Amino acid sequence: MKKKLSKLLRWETMLVVLLIVLWVVFEARDNGLDAALIAKGRKAKDVFNFSKMLNGMGVYMLYSFMALGMALILGMGDIDISVGASATLSASVMGISYRALINGGTANGTAFAIAVAACLLTGCACGLMNGILVTRFRELFPMIITLGTQLFFRGFCYLFLGGETLKFDGDATWGQLKTLYNGAVTIGGYKVPTIIFWFLGFALIFFVFLHLTTGGRKLFAIGENRTAALYSGIRVDRFELLMFVICGMMAAISALFYVGSASATVRADAMTGYEMYAIAVVVLGGFSTAGGKGNIIGVILSVIIFGVMKKGLGTLYGFADSTVNLAVGLVLIVASLLPNVMEDISNRIRVKRQHVTIKATE
Amino acid sequence: MKKFLAIILAIAMVMAISAFAFADDAKPGEGITIGVVYKQSGNAYFQAGVEGFQKAADELGFEFMHDGPEDSSNDGQERIIRNYMDQGVDVLAISANDAAGLVDVCKEAKEKGIVVLSWDAKVDPEGRDLDIEPASSKVIGITQLESLAESCGFEGKIGIVSAGATAPNQNLWIGFIQEEFANNEKYANMTLLDPVYGDDDYTKSYDVTKALLDANPDLKGLIVPTTVGGPAVSKCIKDEGLAGQVKVTGLTLATDMAEYIHEGIADATFLWNPIELGYVSAYVGVAMVNGEFEAAEGATIEVPGFEGLEVTASDDGGLILFLNKLNAFTDETVDSWIGIL
């Protein structure tokens, strides 16, 4: 147990080191660019700094809520690649129901409350469907099941919306979604987007659940060994089902912010590929896809790391938006291989040492 | 741990070494940076647009960056726009995937004093200073009529094969064609038949063309203001053995029509030119930053190779600038556009 704890701590420390290294490199590059500009008699642009990073973080946090839900699923050794589509479906249902209610003469405020509730419920329903399928059909991989539901949900989005962009121009009530995403508070001279507080709030809840309650222990126990968990009295199926529902709900919460980010518009092709970003964040955060281990602190750190990395590569090195993923992929590969490689190395060293001691005693 | 750090540091050093090179010259665009954002990376159409920006950059001396999301997504464009804002661009030239979706971030850019232009695909009025588009409906209609009349020697009977009977764009263009035909003296020796509709379906377009040819053996030419219809109509004329006797023009893709243009079934067909769109957008952006041009109704701007560029009110309540110059695909030019348009 103690050994495990120190291992986890080490991973989080590593992420902090990675973050600091990234930051130092980016700052150096930024200063270099500014020096070059000043040498040419131009004004320094100071492309990369804490204030700009903080301010622009929002667009890299849209999938962070999904990632929290995904952490539950990966912790149990399952996977859910339908969350992107679940989120879009939730957003579509929200838009459609709001429009229907408004056209039906419901007051804006009421209609909005119902629409948001419908959005969250749709997310839960998507999660429920995944959960039922995964727990009932154990012979199928969760990856395949959720691939199916992903296509199914996405298909529904197109059925509801087609190629249309759903928007409510000049509707202040619906426009609240924009405030949800664009809102910011000024703390100590820094403009901090409120989405960061939302994320940290949810992350705290997930942290408490995963690491301080029996629920979290059950979850990791299931991830470690499902059969053992079952025989030790955990109602595995019911618990797993519930986690999938929560994961679906977190996708719907991501959807609320996403709609806000898109100037309060809904499209059927929104959030394509978001499930992969969510999985990437959680895996870099230290959750193993085999289940049984991980820490929410790591997830928080890796959300920040991905944001800083994408922003830095994009603004300082002129990487195209699509090319940035190359670096993200590289970090992910290194991150998932590193624990194995390190264990391998430490084993070899141990063997060598034993050899040495054996020889010495001879 | 050490190895990990070593790898990270190695990557870091490689990155830190690379640096930008800037060209220095006393040109009107000196010191101005334009951020070009298009719908999708790796799309030949937008590569052509970037060529236009490059051409303008060579002449004006501004710097520009260009990028688009790989998945044609709204949030991808937002990321790129925010990155460009951080990098201190003076102009954003955006071809939006979703006209409404980028309004908020564009508003933010405008508040920072950045000139926001949309080109090719608009950003909604609140988010932009000016939209730059190829041609007004009137110019699109008249250009096709003029070209066909020229092919027919300004005499004989001509017809129109359109898309759906309710297609708004096509009906607008056809309206201008009919109006011009009725009012301009040079078409006095010609007859214009009522339009027939191929519903943007290859087979249907082929069939209605055949029916029209059978009913009017003296037909001299057809206007096809739809990209699907163009090749279908041309194929029908070819199959009927009327190549050269019945001329075709219209709004078509170069890739679809190259074959028929080379065979002389069509002398020229039209579409817009993304290179020119990019070129003019760049000139507009630089002029706006330098305060030489303001986006207001009736304002005009001089761009080499263009005449009478004037800002007008757009249907969506914003401001728009039409190039009013279409890209003609002829026997000589069509091949250079294959795969792009």
Side-chain angles (χ1 to χ4, degrees), chain A residues 85-157:
Chain A
S86 314
T88 315
L89 184 58
S90 308
S92 310
V93 169
M94 175 168 68
I96 296 268
S97 57
Y98 185 71
R99 184 166 65 181
L101 287 166
I102 291 287
N103 290 344
T106 319
N108 283 25
T110 328
F112 186 67
I114 297 174
V116 170
C119 172
L120 296 179
L121 279 176
T122 309
C124 293
C126 291
L128 185 69
M129 182 167 167
N130 283 328
I132 290 173
L133 290 172
V134 167
T135 51
R136 283 292 142 82
F137 301 98
R138 288 284 183 202
E139 65 276 19
L140 293 174
F141 290 115
M143 170 87 90
I144 302 302
I145 291 175
T146 52
L147 174 64
T149 52
Q150 178 196 66
L151 299 170
F152 183 71
F153 298 153
R154 184 69 67 182
F156 259 108
C157 300

Side-chain angles (χ1 to χ4, degrees), chain A residues 214-223 225-240:
Chain A
T214 47
R217 286 215 201 130
K218 279 186 198 168
L219 190 138
F220 286 124
I222 292 173
N225 189 332
R226 185 168 279 116
T227 320
L230 185 66
Y231 284 114
S232 59
I234 300 172
R235 291 197 217 184
V236 173
D237 282 1
R238 222 174 69 172
F239 188 84
E240 225 174 319

Side-chain angles (χ1 to χ4, degrees), chain B residues 136-150 154 158 160 171-192 223:
Chain B
S136 67
S137 299
K138 188 171 180 183
V139 169
I140 290 177
I142 292 174
T143 306
Q144 295 177 74
L145 176 63
E146 232 171 12
S147 165
L148 187 68
E150 217 164 276
F154 288 95
I158 60 170
I160 299 171
N171 284 349
L172 205 58
W173 298 330
I174 291 170
F176 282 113
I177 291 174
Q178 289 167 336
E179 192 190 311
E180 176 76 4
F181 189 86
N183 297 332
N184 196 325
E185 278 296 309
K186 63 182 177 185
Y187 304 116
N189 294 331
M190 301 178 77
T191 322
L192 178 64
I223 297 173

Side-chain angles (χ1 to χ4, degrees), chain A residues 30-94:
Chain A
D30 187 26
N31 292 340
L33 286 180
D34 281 347
L37 279 176
I38 290 166
K40 287 212 185 85
R42 302 224 201 126
K43 237 172 52 191
K45 284 179 172 170
D46 195 14
V47 173
F48 185 85
N49 59 34
F50 184 66
S51 152
K52 277 185 177 171
M53 193 61 235
L54 201 60
N55 194 10
M57 197 63 197
V59 75
Y60 300 101
M61 296 189 76
L62 295 170
Y63 47 79
S64 64
F65 301 94
M66 254 178 217
L68 290 175
M70 187 65 74
L72 301 181
I73 304 299
L74 287 186
M76 296 187 302
D78 288 327
I79 198 160
D80 181 355
I81 58 168
S82 75
V83 284
S86 314
T88 315
L89 184 58
S90 308
S92 310
V93 169
M94 175 168 68

Side-chain angles (χ1 to χ4, degrees), chain A residues 207-357:
Chain A
F207 179 83
V208 170
F209 172 71
L210 267 182
H211 306 299
L212 302 176
T213 68
T214 47
R217 286 215 201 130
K218 279 186 198 168
L219 190 138
F220 286 124
I222 292 173
E224 198 80 52
N225 189 332
R226 185 168 279 116
T227 320
L230 185 66
Y231 284 114
S232 59
I234 300 172
R235 291 197 217 184
V236 173
D237 282 1
R238 222 174 69 172
F239 188 84
E240 225 174 319
L241 188 69
L242 184 67
M243 292 304 116
F244 268 99
V245 171
I246 293 174
C247 179
M249 193 186 73
M250 293 311 289
I253 288 170
S254 270
L256 290 177
F257 286 96
Y258 183 88
V259 172
S261 85
S263 302
T265 61
V266 184
R267 271 165 67 112
D269 62 353
M271 287 177 276
T272 309
Y274 265 44
E275 58 279 350
M276 292 308 161
Y277 295 137
I279 293 171
V281 163
V282 177
V283 170
L284 180 65
F287 277 79
S288 141
T289 42
K293 62 174 182 186
N295 194 308
I296 290 294
I297 307 235
V299 176
I300 299 174
L301 284 170
S302 73
V303 166
I304 300 171
I305 287 172
F306 273 125
V308 169
M309 194 162 62
K310 286 181 176 179
K311 188 116 196 151
L313 289 175
T315 54
L316 293 167
Y317 295 93
F319 270 72
D321 187 59
S322 36
T323 327
V324 164
N325 281 339
L326 178 147
V328 175
L330 190 72
V331 167
L332 199 62
I333 294 169
V334 173
S336 39
L337 286 185
L338 207 63
N340 295 335
V341 174
M342 286 202 324
E343 202 169 305
D344 205 37
I345 292 170
S346 71
N347 282 347
R348 255 185 241 167
I349 292 170
R350 202 176 303 144
V351 171
K352 236 182 219 165
R353 266 194 207 135
Q354 276 166 359
H355 271 293
V356 173
T357 22

